[in-house]
Amino acid sequence: QREVNPGGILHGEVHIQGGQVEQFISQIYMNLYTTYYKEVNDSNVRRKEILASVCVAQNLKLNAGEKKVIPFDLAVPYSTPLTIGKQKVYLSTGLVHLKI
């Protein structure tokens, strides 16, 4: 889904592919970010803020070469800024990997 309004639900998918060995993933999460500038010591400093977060999967076993598609829904807060001009809102996927 390419567009969503503040207060709406973002529907998407996370595509993952296993490498050469079996892996265990503790958690896959999706964060919705924005960046802004804040004045610090007479200069503008770029800051990043998480607006919303959702756990996409937990305790996942991924076999060697296996492909998975995991759907997710993320509630976009009403306070999310509109993406006009330099104001950006973007997604980032992260995971917690278990070494066994």
Side-chain angles (χ1 to χ4, degrees), residues 5 15 24-25 28 32 51-53 55 57 63 67 72 78-79 81-83 85 89-90 93-94:
N5 293 325
H15 294 247
F24 296 92
I25 300 169
I28 298 174
L32 180 68
L51 300 170
S53 188
C55 178
N63 294 315
K67 294 180 182 180
F72 71 90
Y78 284 103
S79 61
L82 299 177
T83 54
V89 176
Y90 57 96
T93 307

Side-chain angles (χ1 to χ4, degrees), residues 8 40 71 85:
V40 177

Side-chain angles (χ1 to χ4, degrees), residues 7-61:
I9 302 293
L10 175 66
H11 307 285
E13 297 175 337
V14 174
H15 294 247
I16 57 175
Q17 181 172 349
Q20 295 183 7
V21 297
E22 179 181 81
Q23 296 182 35
F24 296 92
I25 300 169
S26 176
Q27 184 181 60
I28 298 174
Y29 56 90
M30 183 70 64
N31 291 329
L32 180 68
Y33 287 96
T34 190
T35 55
Y36 64 94
Y37 290 91
K38 180 177 181 177
E39 188 171 321
V40 177
N41 297 329
D42 292 329
S43 55
N44 285 327
V45 178
R46 184 177 171 177
R47 303 285 178 153
K48 181 166 64 170
E49 181 177 338
I50 296 175
L51 300 170
S53 188
V54 65
C55 178
V56 174
Q58 289 184 317
N59 303 321
L60 182 68
K61 176 184 169 187

Side-chain angles (χ1 to χ4, degrees), residues 61-99:
K61 176 184 169 187
L62 189 63
N63 294 315
E66 182 180 11
K67 294 180 182 180
K68 290 191 180 210
V69 177
I70 304 168
F72 71 90
D73 293 325
L74 186 141
V76 178
Y78 284 103
S79 61
T80 301
L82 299 177
T83 54
I84 299 172
K86 293 183 180 182
Q87 185 65 50
K88 303 292 181 201
V89 176
Y90 57 96
L91 291 170
S92 174
T93 307
L95 65 85
V96 178
H97 179 260
L98 296 177
K99 292 183 181 181

